[in-house]
Amino acid sequence: DAGVIQSPRHEVTEMGQEVTLRCKPISGHDYLFWYRQTMMRGLELLIYFNNNVPIDDSGMPEDRFSAKMPNASFSTLKIQPSEPRDSAVYFCASSPPSVFYNEQFFGPGTRLTVL
Amino acid sequence: RKEVEQDPGPFNVPEGATVAFNCTYSNSASQSFFWYRQDCRKEPKLLMSVYSSGNEDGRFTAQLNRASQYISLLIRDSKLSDSATYLCVVNMSHDYKLSFGAGTTVTVRA
């Protein structure tokens, strides 16, 4: 079975440009998470969805960041305008439905560099 | 104070050695505990959950001390393939949010 799929794997852009990261969760998983990882701050949760509905976006750094999940098999994280401090690895993860907390399966990540 | 704190290491150990490290968490009401493994330039993957009574998975043993709010991981008979960063992960509330430690780097040398 395919795991979590993310695209692109690498993105290099210039400051001020719009960046869109994409994620396809594992089929049947109804939780989807967006994380950002940097050396300075480690792995941070940005936002998570349940059944396509955003549940907690308190980790989104500022209004330049937005995330959508139009259907169960697709989510986007958009940064507009991008800044050099947004350079990081962005991971998408998904989790199956469960009464109790369940394992999160991570995608390979998108390595973003903003020049 | 960070929610989850770990000794960053690195722990450099020879093959066959035992290595152990801890992490501490700030919220005494935390519900669930995990160790994730992250290889260089790869995604994190669940290594094992940590149960109140402690648990083993092959050469890996995890312990939870709720009174002192720390979690430990012990690796016996270290293999070269155990070289990785080990992330301590805590679920601090009744939802699906996880708090990740910064990771402990282990390097096993031949």
Side-chain angles (χ1 to χ4, degrees):
Chain A
D1 286 341
V4 175
I5 299 172
Q6 290 187 247
S7 65
R9 295 291 304 277
H10 301 272
E11 177 81 23
V12 180
T13 190
E14 292 189 346
M15 182 174 62
Q17 297 298 307
E18 177 179 298
V19 175
T20 299
L21 311 181
R22 298 173 175 79
C23 174
K24 177 179 169 57
I26 294 172
S27 178
H29 286 193
D30 62 354
Y31 282 88
L32 184 138
F33 307 82
W34 282 102
Y35 290 89
R36 177 173 69 177
Q37 187 173 38
T38 61
M39 289 293 292
M40 290 296 294
R41 301 175 66 91
L43 200 60
E44 304 173 281
L45 177 65
L46 300 177
I47 184 171
Y48 80 95
F49 295 83
N50 178 222
N51 291 322
N52 314 336
V53 176
I55 301 301
D56 188 330
D57 65 355
S58 59
M60 296 285 263
E62 49 198 271
D63 292 345
R64 297 185 298 105
F65 286 69
S66 62
K68 294 182 179 179
M69 192 165 186
N71 57 62
S73 59
F74 183 66
S75 177
T76 60
L77 178 68
K78 186 175 293 187
I79 308 172
Q80 167 63 21
S82 58
E83 297 181 3
R85 61 192 168 122
D86 301 331
S87 297
V89 181
Y90 290 81
F91 288 106
C92 175
S94 69
S95 187
S98 175
V99 175
F100 301 103
Y101 166 77
N102 218 322
E103 176 183 356
Q104 292 186 13
F105 296 81
F106 283 74
T110 295
R111 189 169 298 273
L112 174 65
T113 302
V114 183
L115 303 174
Chain B
R1 182 183 175 189
K2 293 183 180 178
E3 292 180 329
V4 181
E5 298 205 53
Q6 294 184 247
D7 179 348
F11 288 77
N12 295 307
V13 299
E15 267 187 298
T18 296
V19 59
F21 41 89
N22 299 334
C23 91
T24 58
Y25 58 95
S26 61
N27 187 340
S28 60
S30 296
Q31 299 294 312
S32 309
F33 310 88
F34 312 88
W35 285 102
Y36 274 68
R37 171 192 169 128
Q38 186 171 24
D39 294 320
C40 187
R41 301 181 74 84
K42 298 288 189 180
E43 71 273 21
K45 293 183 180 179
L46 179 67
L47 176 66
M48 58 194 302
S49 301
V50 185
Y51 304 121
S52 296
S53 56
N55 49 297
E56 280 190 15
D57 184 358
R59 297 179 293 105
F60 297 83
T61 300
Q63 296 281 350
L64 168 63
N65 186 316
R66 284 190 182 271
S68 301
Q69 294 180 212
Y70 76 83
I71 309 154
S72 65
L73 182 66
L74 182 146
I75 307 173
R76 288 186 303 277
D77 189 22
S78 300
K79 311 292 185 189
L80 295 175
S81 57
D82 295 333
S83 297
T85 296
Y86 292 85
L87 304 172
C88 177
V89 185
V90 179
N91 175 241
M92 297 196 173
S93 55
H94 292 281
D95 60 22
Y96 273 62
K97 290 175 65 172
L98 297 180
S99 296
F100 285 75
T104 296
T105 299
V106 173
T107 302
V108 182
R109 62 182 187 274

